[in-house]
Amino acid sequence: MIIHKLADKLNSVHSLTTEEYRFLIDNRTKEDEEYIKDLAVSARKKIYGNSVFVRGLIEISNICKNDCFYCGIRKSNKNCDRYRLSPEQIMLCAEEGYSLGFRTFVLQGGEDPFFSDEVLIKIIGEIKSSFPDCAVTLSMGERSRDSYERLYNAGADRYLLRHETANEEHYNMLHPPEMSYKNRMNCLKELRSTGYQVGAGFMVGSPFQTNAELAEDLKFIELFKPDMCGIGPFIPHKDTPFANKKAGTLEDTCFLLSVIRLIYPNILLPSTTALGTIHPRGRELGILSGANVVMPNLSPVNVRKKYELYDNKICTGEESAECRGCLEARMKSVGYEIVTDRGDIKK
């Protein structure tokens, strides 16, 4: 019953100590997971009902200057078939997405120097002028404060930058020396102060991760209060130093989705493609654990397999309309409905 009491406390005051988060993770049973899941679903339904927000994901480049040890598009991967979408191709993806009912476009890519402020400002401007009722989300990595401000002033609404882990020592185990935990955290603060709706997030079951570090992640989410939190299971990629590491689990990811919903009931919480990759009904189970966002792929079919952050990524061969229709059917199968909406956070 201690777990239930902690869950009730979290549901009431939306805060636990780091030690209490650790206790939740360490000592939960299947019954406890169901109890917390029910609380989480109830909390999200009070705010968002049965609505699931849909984001159109456009993977604009798999060229990256970074060498993160877990990532399939790391610069050292010589087997990666590199590509970069032109601004014209990106607009075609947005046009198709708009016709399918998408009202948020997520431009995601490696840290590709081609996508300078000038290039992105032009793309953002074209999307906003063509589709003024849409939101533009960027997921383009670490940039300067000046860059973040310029892109925000050009019309970008949201920015996704996973913190990956809230523990500096663990961060250093996942990234090369030239990458800095302090810089990653500073970027998130700069994004928040610039005015973006900000997304953070972490991998579940990443190499060397302990429950103590997961507890730190939960405390970070509580204190930082991101508008969005993207979590998904770590899945190894065959051409990285972590090729033989164990993947994260569906059970841990769904449990943490529920806990995050209780920490911040208003949060926008995706049920990720990675969840769908490790389990045939992973995305549905994520929604049933408290998530309320799905992100189908609008990228051209001929590049989808090339944007491979991890092995066996799903939905690489479907046309955008198929992908949208498939997800809509999946959500209906568990009692939820995809809505045509920008899907802003409700505060």
Side-chain angles (χ1 to χ4, degrees), residues 136-157:
V136 172
T137 301
L138 300 177
S139 181
M140 299 296 295
E142 297 178 355
R143 303 174 82 95
S144 68
R145 181 183 177 87
D146 178 64
S147 174
Y148 289 145
E149 287 180 344
R150 294 184 70 194
L151 299 176
Y152 180 75
N153 292 334
D157 302 275

Side-chain angles (χ1 to χ4, degrees), residues 65 111 115-118 120-121 138 140-153 159 161 183-196:
K65 66 182 178 61
E111 293 195 20
F115 287 102
S116 63
D117 293 349
E118 289 72 25
L120 284 174
I121 285 168
L138 300 177
M140 299 296 295
E142 297 178 355
R143 303 174 82 95
S144 68
R145 181 183 177 87
D146 178 64
S147 174
Y148 289 145
E149 287 180 344
R150 294 184 70 194
L151 299 176
Y152 180 75
N153 292 334
Y159 203 104
L161 182 67
N183 188 58
R184 178 63 58 97
M185 289 299 184
N186 185 62
C187 283
L188 283 166
K189 291 174 185 173
E190 299 282 25
L191 287 163
R192 167 61 55 76
S193 64
T194 298
Y196 289 95

Side-chain angles (χ1 to χ4, degrees), residues 196-268:
Y196 289 95
Q197 296 172 45
V198 181
F202 56 93
M203 292 181 289
V204 179
S206 60
F208 317 112
Q209 186 182 68
T210 65
N211 287 348
E213 283 144 5
L214 283 172
E216 289 182 63
D217 283 314
L218 294 174
K219 192 65 180 178
F220 171 76
I221 297 302
E222 176 194 314
L223 296 174
F224 184 69
K225 271 194 165 59
D227 301 284
M228 302 155 279
C229 183
I231 73 166
F234 163 75
I235 303 174
H237 188 286
K238 62 184 180 304
D239 296 318
T240 70
F242 293 158
N244 297 317
K245 297 294 185 184
K246 185 180 175 184
T249 68
L250 174 83
E251 293 75 19
D252 285 347
T253 306
C254 286
F255 169 71
L256 291 167
L257 283 170
S258 298
V259 173
I260 292 168
R261 175 62 65 194
L262 296 181
I263 290 172
Y264 189 17
N266 305 65
I267 200 165
L268 295 167

